[in-house]
Amino acid sequence: MNFRVLRIELRRSVAPWAGVVILVPALAFLYLLDGEWWRGTTAWTAQWTTLALWTRSLLFYLWPLAVGLGALQGLRDHRSKMVELLTSTPRPARHRAATLAGATALTLASAFALLVLSGGVQVFSHTEYTHLGWLPISLVGALSLVAGAVLGMGAGRALPSVLTPPALTMTAFVFTALMYMSLGRTQTITASGIPVTEPNRISLLSPAVQEVRDTLVTLSASVHVGQTIWLLGMAATGFALLVAATPRTRLIALTPILAGAVIALLVLPSDPRRIYVVDKVAAKLVCDGPVCVTKTRQERLADLAGPGKEALRLLHGALGGQAPVSVRENTALLPEGSTPQWSRDTVLFDFDDDVIAAAKGKELTWALIAQGMVPGCTPVGWSGLGGDEFAQTVAVSWVLGDFRPLPSTLSGDLQRTTEAETRPVWKKLKALPRAEQLSRINAMRAAAFSCKGEPFEVLSGGTSR
């Protein structure tokens, strides 16, 4: 490609405006709206992988815009009534198509790179863990914008109508919506009988990804390969439509996108558990004695080590040989809606847990004791207030020998409700002989770790179901 011609194309075409239309709404969406992308350890500026995944999720809206902008660019020759003049020149059609596509591709890729860069600058100040595992996620995102725009250009050249850009934009938006809501998801039933939906391989034909709910989750290598094949086929079809001059060649031009879709579906994983996987390098444990965190949050180990060791000491004093012997950040990846899985030997915790997040110093020790006594059976991805939190308060108070409400971000009314429900149960438990107290605590832990009973009901004097 002649770079002088490319510079002229960038100055005189709407290609630079295409980059602006992609970049500005994306930045406005992220910075002006308060959403999950600003909260907890999965914030878009907290880790490199979460940055890549959150910016990819924006393609739900940005990719249809890229397709429509490409179609608008593809109509340029028709609007200027220069089609016959350009076809009579000796310059090959592929050269003109390469210049047209290259200018728009350059601005769209640059816009997406600036979007990632704006978050990356902040990630540097929020984490000590740096890696390149996030890069394929972002590269595929940039490629999707380029491929969508080139496909739009080819469709605009093949169907020269003022209705083509809006029609293609809406079609692309409906496509991404269907991939996210129905065609791209499969319903399954968890072991606890809760129906949930999980993404399937068809959903991966959409450039967008689902919302981030765990910092240790990334896309598998087979997803990157399959999506790249699909997007390259899409771009090849768009370019072929740009240079096609007859109905027959336009039909032949559809071959790459169809072949790309077939090959991609063969490469993309069919098992939902192989789509979003745990990043093994990020999940590697960094330890200070019996207290461990993942490599992604190694900077938090210093603040956790002391309270963690103290929690283990207090638990051993209360439970003896049945006490856990280590504290570790939970790295299990379970489907949303499934029942959590816990270990009696290890206190598993999550930095996104409201109690853990709100606690510091002694309160963090109490929060870890709560996790070791009653880890909680709320289905993965759900939230709520009830028996598990009440049982945690009573169990921690029993270990400490004095009533201690757990640290919380709940409102004052809910905190008072929790104290009103738990204080009488704690007093009743403390009034029992030591052997009976220990019996109830062991029964409560059995119900809590099996998720087959009501721990608070057991502490109140009922029976575990």
Side-chain angles (χ1 to χ4, degrees), residues 47 73 113 136 176 245 255 316 380 382:
Q47 298 286 343
Q73 186 80 320
T176 57
T255 302
H316 185 269
V380 176
W382 294 25

Side-chain angles (χ1 to χ4, degrees), residues 249-381:
T249 54
R250 287 169 185 155
L251 285 176
I252 295 175
L254 299 177
T255 302
I257 193 171
L258 295 176
V262 172
I263 297 174
L265 289 174
L266 293 175
V267 173
L268 293 170
S270 58
D271 186 350
R273 292 171 296 182
R274 292 177 54 229
I275 296 176
Y276 293 92
V277 297
V278 172
D279 186 337
K280 294 182 179 179
V281 177
K284 186 178 179 181
L285 295 178
V286 179
C287 300
D288 182 346
V291 182
C292 302
V293 298
T294 60
K295 199 171 182 179
T296 57
R297 280 178 282 277
Q298 57 190 359
E299 69 276 2
R300 303 186 67 170
L301 179 59
D303 294 332
L304 183 73
K309 293 174 183 177
E310 178 65 9
L312 292 176
R313 185 187 69 80
L314 292 171
L315 284 169
H316 185 269
L319 299 174
Q322 297 185 28
V325 295
S326 63
V327 174
R328 178 168 61 83
E329 184 181 353
N330 195 359
T331 59
L333 177 60
L334 299 174
E336 187 170 357
S338 60
T339 302
Q341 298 176 2
W342 305 112
S343 168
R344 286 177 174 268
D345 297 327
T346 302
V347 178
L348 297 174
F349 70 94
D350 191 326
F351 282 111
D352 276 327
D353 181 274
D354 289 340
V355 177
I356 298 291
K360 295 182 183 297
K362 289 183 178 180
E363 290 187 340
L364 182 54
T365 298
W366 304 343
L368 292 173
I369 292 173
Q371 283 297 111
M373 296 292 285
V374 188
C377 290
T378 302
V380 176

Side-chain angles (χ1 to χ4, degrees), residues 69-88:
L69 290 168
L72 185 63
Q73 186 80 320
L75 289 178
R76 186 179 63 176
D77 293 346
H78 176 75
R79 292 197 310 268
S80 60
K81 300 179 180 179
M82 295 177 58
V83 176
E84 293 183 0
L85 175 63
L86 292 174
T87 54
S88 65

Side-chain angles (χ1 to χ4, degrees), residues 153-184:
M153 290 179 203
R157 179 68 63 84
L159 302 170
S161 168
V162 294
L163 298 178
T164 299
L168 279 179
T169 302
M170 287 304 301
T171 300
F173 180 75
V174 170
F175 173 76
T176 57
L178 289 176
M179 293 298 100
Y180 188 82
M181 293 187 299
S182 56
L183 292 180

